[in-house]
Each structure stands twice: as C-alpha cells, then as structure tokens.
Amino acid sequence: MGVFVDLLLVFILVTVGIISSATAAKVRHLKWEVEYMHWSPDGQEGVVIAINGQFPGPTIRARAGDTLHLQLTNKLHTEGVVIHWHGIRQIGTPWADGTASISQCAINPGETFLYRFKVDRAGTYFYHGHYGMQRSAGLYGSLIVDVAEGEKEKFEYDGEFNILLSDWWHKGSHEQEVDLSSKPMRWIGEPQSLLVNGRGQFNCSMAAHFSNSSAVQCKLRGSEQYAPYILKVHPNKTYRLRIASSTALASLNLAIGNHKMRVVEADGNYVKPFTVDNIDIYSGDSYSVLFRTDQSSSQNYWLSATVRGREPHTPPAFAILNYLPTSASILPISPPPPSPRWDDYAYSKAFSNKIRALPGSPKPPQTHNRRIVLLNTQTYINGYTKWSINNVSLSLPSTPYLGSIKYGVGNAFDARSPPDRGPPGYDVMRPAPNPNSTYGSGVYMLKFNSTVDVILQNANALKENVSEIHPWHLHGHDFWVVGYGEGEFRERDAARFNLRDPPFRNTAVIYPYGWTAVRFVADNPGVWAFHCHIEPHLHLGMGVVFAEGVDLVQGLPNAAIACGLTGEMLIKNGTH
C-alpha cells in the first residue's frame, strides 16, 4: 500500500509539473501593419518603413517557451515584404524564418501572413526585413526573450535597458539598390549617421564642444524624433544593457564613459563573464553586458558608438546615461569615451578571443562529417560588380526553396550543388588574375544530423590591398566558433580548433585577409540562408543556402509557397 501511495504521489507531482509548465507558456497575439512613413531619424526628414506607425518597430517581449502569433499586413502598396526573426532557430517552423525565396514567398501588397513560431530560448534578439534592402529602409526592431516563468537568470541586476544600433543614409533604399546594380557600380558611400534606438544627429553633435571638427552643438528640446535616447539610472545599482546591431554596413564599437562593462551573453547564449572598457559589435551581433552605476551621481555620462573596420566618415552616435535625480538636460562634462582606431584589428581580434562559452553550455562534436570552405571574393559578372562565394554569386529563384525541395518541383533552382571549395591555388592576398564569376542558385544539401565545418575564407577585393570585414549569419542554427586565423586556411590549422569552450553564436566575423571556422550540427529540418549580414554585400550575392531533412518538414502552410512553380502546383492540385 505504501509503495502505491508513493507512486501515486510521484505521478501527481510530475503531472502537476507538466501542467504548470504548459500553462506558464503563453500564446502572444500581435497584429502589425507595415508601411512607409515620413520620419526624422537624424534631424533630416526622410522615408522609413514603420510598423504600426513606429520606427524602429515595436519591441517584442516574451518568455522562453511562448508562441508568437503575429499577423503581418503589407501596406507598402508597390513591393513585397518579409520579416526575419534574427537568432530564433524556428525549430519545427522553417517557413516562419522570414527569408524571401528561401523559406517563403514575399507577402504581396495588401496581403496578410501569419507568422507562428515558438521562442524556445531566453536571450537578446531582433527582427528585420529580409527582402531587397528593406533593412536599410529601417525595417527592424528588438525581440527580447526572458527566462521561462519560475526560472532565474544566471546573473543578478537591478534594472535593464535595450539598445538597437543601426546606420542611416539620406538616399533611399531603392536608389541604393539601383546604384549597387549599375554598371559600373555606384558605391552608396558611408552612412550619414549612426542611430541608437532609431535616434541620431546629423546636422549637429551632442558633444561638439569636445570635437576638433566644425560640428555645431545640438540645441534640442528633447521631444524631437532624433533627440538622444536617455538611460535613466539610480546610483550604486547594477544594470543589464542588451545591445543588438541591425546596421546595414557599419561595424561598431560601443562604450559608456567612465564605466566598465561585463559581457555575459552573446547571440542568446551565456558566455564566461569578462570585463572590458568597450565592445566591438558587428551587424547581426547581440550582447548583454552588466555595468555598475558607481560614478558621481551629480553628473551624466556618454554612451557612444563609433565606426570600426572602415575609415570613419560617419560621426559617433550618442545616448545619455542619466544619473537620477540629475536632470537629463545636463550634458556630460567629461569627453566621450575614447574608441580604438578604426583599423586596429589586433584590438578587435583580442576581444573576439575573449568570448568563451559558460561552463555547462552545449559542447561541439569532436569530429566533423563534412568541411566546406567558402571563399569570399569580389568579382565581375558581365561588367557588373558582385560578391561571390567559391566563384558563384547567389541569385535567388522565384520559387521558395523550402516548397520546391519538399514537393520535388523540378527546374526551380540550379540542380548542381555549389562547390565545397574555391578555385585551387587561389591567392587570397592579391586581386584575382581572372575576377569574373557566375550567377548561381544551387543549394548545399547537408546530410541530416551530420556535423558540418564551414571555413569562412576572406580574400583581397578587386582593388589591391583591400580586404573587408564580413559578419556572417546562419539561419536556423547556432554554431560553435572554433577558430580564427590569418591568411589562407590550411588543413593543419584544424589541429588548433578550440573544441573545449568555443562560443555558441549565430553570427561570426571574418577579419581582413583571414579565416574563421565554425561547426554546427545539421539537425533542424528546413532550408536556411547563410550570408554576410552587410546589406549591400548580400544584395550583390554574398551568401549560400543550406538544406537538411526537408522531407521531415511538417505543416508547411500553402500561404508560404503560393508563388512561382509551387504556386502553380497548388493551383493544379486545387489547394490554392
């Protein structure tokens, strides 16, 4: 009898636990309308893509385990739209990844599409447009996932702030697309301003009196759309600052004057905490840092973002760390924090090498099943400037890969797989003797549950002595960043891979003339983009497509594939 009672008690406790965890997770219903609006992100009025009349778009806040039901209506009138949920792995919902021509059809003007997916893991994320260059037009916002109900973070803090960094041009995104696609290419130039939560200053500077330039001191009331973002803090507290970068081009360095930052999270994964004066953040990156308000409470302090990796022709962005009860209108009396020189790559590499996984984090498999080396080169196709991977410039098909592969629709994309390596004997330190490449829409078909190494290999661009920073983002997965190196990757370099505590990320940077090695397990059925997160580079073909276990995908909505050849298939079958 006693054993029966004990078993019954265990059954009741387990059942209650299952029910309580299920009831703790929520379904969060959202309705969005996407449209163009006039806005002044930096004091000069332009046109932005807004969501529900907001720029940047509304911040989504949910808990791990919640399901988002987001009804998106396209009110752009003349162009399609999709939204990518950057860092959300879309396990079981690959059609909700929000990549036009890869996971879904573009949502046409006037149409409504339901994004339905689970946010399964706490962390700092964001969302952005993934059609044309709509991210350059301001289609982005923050997505914050708190720990599940009843769970605790691995660190303590008294309050938190959320910052989304971006860059801004006064030339519209459509004109930028035409410039980039012209022969010869017309480079769009550096951004006119950097934005903190959609706010920057172009015609004036918050810190003009500390500058050697001819910048005019800003005179603001605080109610302007471009007035600086204010972080209101109390003395002697610990705050969490969530930071994400949706920049279209700029790599950035962020610092808070007179305050140290302790890095605790990267791309939704915990890292071994380490303390720094400033952090480098590339397009697609997200971090959480902790800082202590241990400075004089009678003053305010600068939060600044400056350009890295490109000769800076864009002034810094500023926000104000406002110590209460001091008025936010009192500008900091100390100069903005110093930033490293734009081309001090040794400084950047030292920061990257400090990022290590927290003990207890997922560990990489010790061996790989396949190794793909992706050679990044700037090339020409019929006189047009392009970016190519292993001499192939990505050209997306009109039919989404997810539907065409799932249903075996022929002639939807190039049948030949792209090459696993670049041309033999290629000298990454010099411009190519033959800079011509070809368009391609082929797919890397990955064996389901296999372990894949990808070597991101940087090279010289078309012009001599030019090699650029490229932050690469993988959809549908996180990967382990297992190594960095200089020059050309050699097989013997794999012996130096960090398989002990590599960071688990979704975005990794390749430095000029170097390589970066990542490892991931192809365990998420679907078709996934892997690409440079710099908007003009992706526009010019700098990306590849991975497919794995597509036959295992269940519940693919017709609305996601009702275009191109799969749309014709649905009509023929009477399901559209």
Side-chain angles (χ1 to χ4, degrees), residues 121-123 147 151-155 240 263-273 355-359 361-362 502-504:
R121 189 179 44 173
V147 294
E151 294 186 9
K152 283 189 173 182
E153 279 285 10
K154 295 187 181 294
F155 39 83
R240 178 182 190 169
V263 182
V264 293
E265 177 214 345
D267 291 354
N269 294 286
Y270 296 116
V271 299
K272 289 179 184 175
I355 305 171
R356 300 298 176 97
L358 190 70
S361 300
F504 209 30

Side-chain angles (χ1 to χ4, degrees), residues 151-163:
E151 294 186 9
K152 283 189 173 182
E153 279 285 10
K154 295 187 181 294
F155 39 83
E156 294 184 352
Y157 50 95
D158 301 300
E160 75 170 59
F161 299 95
N162 179 47
I163 279 181

Side-chain angles (χ1 to χ4, degrees), residues 370-487:
R370 183 177 180 182
R371 178 167 290 152
I372 301 170
V373 180
L374 300 181
L375 173 66
N376 295 237
T377 56
Q378 194 177 32
T379 60
Y380 292 118
I381 299 180
N382 300 323
Y384 292 93
T385 302
K386 297 291 175 182
W387 285 97
S388 296
I389 305 302
N390 293 348
N391 228 33
V392 178
S393 184
L394 181 62
S395 178
L396 294 173
S398 57
T399 303
Y401 292 105
L402 185 60
S404 60
I405 296 174
K406 170 69 177 174
Y407 295 112
V409 176
N411 302 316
F413 57 89
D414 293 346
R416 285 181 56 190
S417 175
D420 276 19
R421 292 178 177 272
Y426 191 96
D427 187 350
V428 301
M429 306 303 291
R430 292 180 174 81
N434 177 6
N436 296 304
S437 66
T438 59
Y439 293 112
S441 61
V443 177
Y444 289 95
M445 297 291 186
L446 307 179
K447 185 179 179 182
F448 188 60
N449 276 332
S450 65
T451 298
V452 181
D453 278 5
V454 178
I455 311 300
L456 296 163
Q457 175 69 65
N458 213 338
N460 200 101
L462 285 167
K463 188 177 178 182
E464 280 195 36
N465 301 316
V466 174
S467 185
E468 300 185 16
I469 279 178
H470 301 292
W472 273 70
H473 171 60
L474 177 60
H475 294 226
H477 309 75
D478 284 351
F479 49 63
W480 292 273
V481 185
V482 295
Y484 299 96
E486 310 292 331

Side-chain angles (χ1 to χ4, degrees), residues 282-333:
Y282 303 98
S283 179
D285 281 347
S286 65
Y287 291 99
S288 280
V289 301
L290 304 179
F291 67 93
R292 182 81 181 163
T293 50
D294 54 5
Q295 300 299 303
S296 170
S297 60
S298 62
Q299 297 179 32
N300 294 323
Y301 301 87
W302 301 108
L303 181 146
S304 69
T306 54
V307 172
R308 298 283 280 132
R310 304 181 68 86
E311 190 168 352
H313 296 288
T314 309
F318 294 113
I320 304 293
L321 187 67
N322 171 215
Y323 270 67
L324 298 173
T326 301
S327 169
S329 63
I330 298 175
L331 292 178
I333 60 173

Side-chain angles (χ1 to χ4, degrees), residues 13-28 63-67 118 147-150:
L13 288 172
V14 169
T15 304
V16 168
I18 292 171
I19 292 172
S20 62
S21 63
T23 54
K26 296 180 179 178
V27 177
R28 299 181 184 268
R63 286 193 177 275
D66 287 353
T67 298
K118 181 178 283 190
V147 294
E149 196 78 49

